[in-house]
Amino acid sequence: MISTLLRAEALTAGYGKMAILHDVTFIVTPGELVAVIGPNGAGKSTAFKVIVGFLKPSEGRVLFDGDDITGLRPDQVLRRGLAYVPQGRIVFPQMTVLENLEMGAYIERDARKIKDSLDQVYALFPVLAERRLQKAGTMSGGEQQMVAIGRALMTHPKLVLLDEPSLGLSPKYVALIFEKLVEMKKSGYTLMVVEQNAAKALSVADRGYVLELGHNRFDGAGRTLLADPEVKRLYLGG
């Protein structure tokens, strides 16, 4: 039997009295790359905020690695091995690449483990090794996104949630970020990705979820959803 790493069950959540998510469920098993797609306003980013603890659900629960983490603070969730890369390439602009990455390891006290993490990030993103003393704010959008992803990997997470990793990037960097997601999966990371670039996300995903107006609309294997005429018509511009 395949173990479940993340089970977000029947989540209802929103802002104030306005519910954005209605009875939404996601399951992620170890080693998977799971894509979450859907139109703007579907609740994709809200779902991630609930999972990582920025929002408390009014109904439902989040189980991670066998434990109920519903309502825990984001820093408590991170310590359990769940990392989050928010949308918008959030870096510390006045700090160097190295300092930004080291900030990602703030919960780690073992210098050897921090060095191992740095080596792994540099192996995945060689440009960050070359630019490690450059201020992050002077880098291109694509390079800043690599810093943001690399920072999330510094804690050896069991699951990485990435919210719109290709948003606002040039075509060159969009292609590169998707290549890196596939590389991360091959090297053993479990990933869950919210993406506006739905066709590209489904083409690399093991499984996908389609949200619409805060509800689960479709789910299945990435390639199956990519070929589904209804999904194509509604969400892929086909």
Side-chain angles (χ1 to χ4, degrees):
M1 182 177 166
I2 299 172
S3 64
T4 299
L5 182 59
L6 175 75
R7 179 184 290 273
E9 269 178 11
L11 297 179
T12 296
Y15 306 93
K17 292 184 178 176
M18 185 178 168
I20 304 288
L21 297 180
H22 308 272
D23 199 29
V24 167
T25 293
F26 300 120
I27 293 169
V28 181
T29 58
E32 281 192 307
L33 197 170
V34 174
V36 182
I37 68 163
N40 280 333
K44 306 181 298 292
S45 294
T46 300
F48 271 22
K49 285 174 183 169
V50 172
I51 291 168
V52 298
F54 284 108
L55 269 181
K56 287 189 181 177
S58 55
E59 291 177 44
R61 60 182 187 156
V62 180
L63 302 173
F64 180 65
D65 206 17
D67 294 323
D68 190 335
I69 64 167
T70 317
L72 289 185
R73 297 191 316 265
D75 62 304
Q76 295 170 319
V77 170
L78 176 65
R79 288 174 193 280
R80 289 167 182 257
L82 206 170
Y84 173 54
V85 183
Q87 61 174 271
R89 305 189 290 280
I90 298 169
V91 297
F92 300 102
Q94 294 304 316
M95 295 173 117
T96 65
V97 168
L98 175 59
E99 288 165 342
N100 267 271
L101 294 176
E102 287 174 338
M103 286 292 286
Y106 78 97
I107 61 172
E108 182 57 68
R109 293 286 170 264
D110 185 329
R112 192 180 71 255
K113 284 186 180 175
I114 293 173
K115 185 185 181 305
D116 288 346
S117 296
L118 274 174
D119 289 345
Q120 286 180 14
V121 170
Y122 289 156
L124 182 66
F125 299 115
V127 69
L128 299 187
E130 295 163 19
R131 309 273 189 88
R132 62 188 178 276
L133 300 181
Q134 183 175 337
K135 285 190 175 177
T138 66
M139 304 177 89
S140 71
E143 289 163 347
Q144 288 184 15
Q145 185 62 290
M146 292 184 218
V147 174
I149 294 171
R151 190 173 59 208
L153 301 183
M154 289 294 292
T155 54
H156 291 287
K158 298 171 190 169
L159 173 63
V160 187
L161 303 189
L162 301 107
D163 191 357
E164 302 282 11
S166 77
L167 185 68
L169 300 184
S170 68
K172 170 189 156 187
Y173 278 113
V174 169
L176 182 64
I177 290 298
F178 277 103
E179 275 173 31
K180 293 303 179 181
L181 293 179
V182 171
E183 206 176 311
M184 285 159 68
K185 176 188 147 49
K186 284 180 178 169
S187 64
Y189 287 105
T190 305
L191 308 169
M192 194 174 185
V193 184
V194 158
E195 251 302 330
Q196 279 292 308
N197 196 330
K200 190 81 175 156
L202 291 177
S203 73
V204 301
D206 297 298
R207 288 188 308 109
Y209 289 92
V210 182
L211 292 191
E212 184 180 58
L213 297 174
H215 294 269
N216 287 105
R217 178 73 192 269
F218 300 96
D219 65 85
R223 298 274 176 186
T224 304
L225 290 174
L226 200 53
D228 185 304
E230 189 73 351
V231 175
K232 270 186 180 174
R233 185 176 70 81
L234 292 171
Y235 309 106
L236 306 178

